[in-house]
Amino acid sequence: MTTRVTLISAASSAALREARFDDGCPADAGGLRLARAAAGTFTAAGERWVSPSVRCRDTAGALGLDAVEVAEFAGLDVGRWRGATLDEVGATEPEAVARWLADPGSAPHGGESVRDFCDRVARGLERAAEHTGRVVAVVEPEVVRAALVRALGAPESAFWRIDVPPLTATDLSGRSRRWNVRAGRPLPDRDTGREAHRRGADRDEPR
C-alpha cells in the first residue's frame, strides 16, 4: 500500500519575517494572496490536515482546504521562549541556546526537545501511512524539517540545516518508515499552471 503525503509550508507571518518564535500571529496578507492563487490545486487529496496554529489555519483556508487539525503536526513547543527572537534569548540565556542548538535531546526552554519533536512528527507520518491515496497537510516549516530528518534517516543535527521557504510543497511517497522525497516545489497557480509562488514570495521570507 503506497501513501502520498504533501506537506505545504504555511504562508509567511510577522513572526517568521522577524525570526521570532511563533506567538500565534496570523499569516501575512501577501502570503495569503499567493495561497489563494493555488486554491483548488489539491482537491484530489483524500485527507486534508493542518497544524493547529493560526497561520497554518489561515493558509489552509486560503488554499480552499477544509482541513482537520492534527496534533502530531503541531509546531515545535519552545516553552518560555515563545514570542521572542533567537537573538533576544541568546542575550539573556546564551548557554541555554548553545545547549539547545548542539544537543537534540535538550529542552532548556521548558518545552520540547528537537529529538522528541522529530519523533512526534514521525508518528504523524505513520498515521498518514494508514491511508491510501493522498494526504495534504498545511504545516509549520519546522514540521517539514522534522519529517525530512525522519523520512531520510538523517542525523538530528540535520534539522538545523534544512531551509523550508513559505508556500512550498514537499512530497513523500511510500509507506511507514520507507519514504521517497521530493522537496521544496513552489505551489502552482491554478489559472496559469505556472509556479506562482516565486512571483512575490521572496518579500515574505525571513531575512
Side-chain angles (χ1 to χ4, degrees), residues 11-13 32 39 46 52 60 66 74 77 79-81 83 88 96 105 120 124 145 158-159 175 182-183 185:
S12 188
S13 66
L32 293 179
D66 184 14
D77 178 4
R80 66 176 179 276
W81 294 353
E88 289 170 345
R120 171 162 62 78
R145 289 154 63 189
F159 177 83
R175 55 187 59 84
R182 180 188 179 196
R185 63 181 174 90

Side-chain angles (χ1 to χ4, degrees), residues 105-125:
S106 175
H109 42 57
E112 187 175 30
S113 72
V114 168
R115 177 170 298 144
D116 287 345
F117 175 60
C118 289
D119 287 344
R120 171 162 62 78
V121 172
R123 290 194 295 272
L125 290 178

Side-chain angles (χ1 to χ4, degrees), residues 77-207:
D77 178 4
V78 293
R80 66 176 179 276
W81 294 353
R82 180 178 167 87
T85 67
L86 191 59
D87 286 344
E88 289 170 345
V89 175
T92 58
E93 302 181 60
E95 293 182 359
V97 170
R99 187 165 69 253
W100 183 58
L101 294 175
D103 178 8
S106 175
H109 42 57
E112 187 175 30
S113 72
V114 168
R115 177 170 298 144
D116 287 345
F117 175 60
C118 289
D119 287 344
R120 171 162 62 78
V121 172
R123 290 194 295 272
L125 290 178
E126 291 173 3
R127 178 175 171 181
E130 297 173 0
H131 300 277
T132 57
R134 183 176 296 277
V135 176
V136 171
V138 179
V139 298
E140 295 292 338
E142 68 265 27
V143 171
V144 181
R145 289 154 63 189
L148 290 175
V149 166
R150 285 294 184 256
L152 297 175
E156 289 154 351
S157 58
F159 177 83
W160 301 113
R161 307 189 66 178
I162 300 170
D163 182 32
V164 181
L167 294 178
T168 55
T170 296
D171 300 309
L172 298 95
S173 62
R175 55 187 59 84
S176 182
R177 304 182 189 277
R178 187 176 178 87
W179 298 97
N180 297 314
V181 175
R182 180 188 179 196
R185 63 181 174 90
L187 302 188
D189 186 307
R190 68 173 181 272
D191 296 324
T192 66
R194 299 167 66 182
E195 293 176 344
H197 167 78
R198 289 290 92 191
R199 291 203 305 263
D202 287 345
R203 65 173 176 267
D204 287 330
E205 292 179 14
R207 294 290 186 261

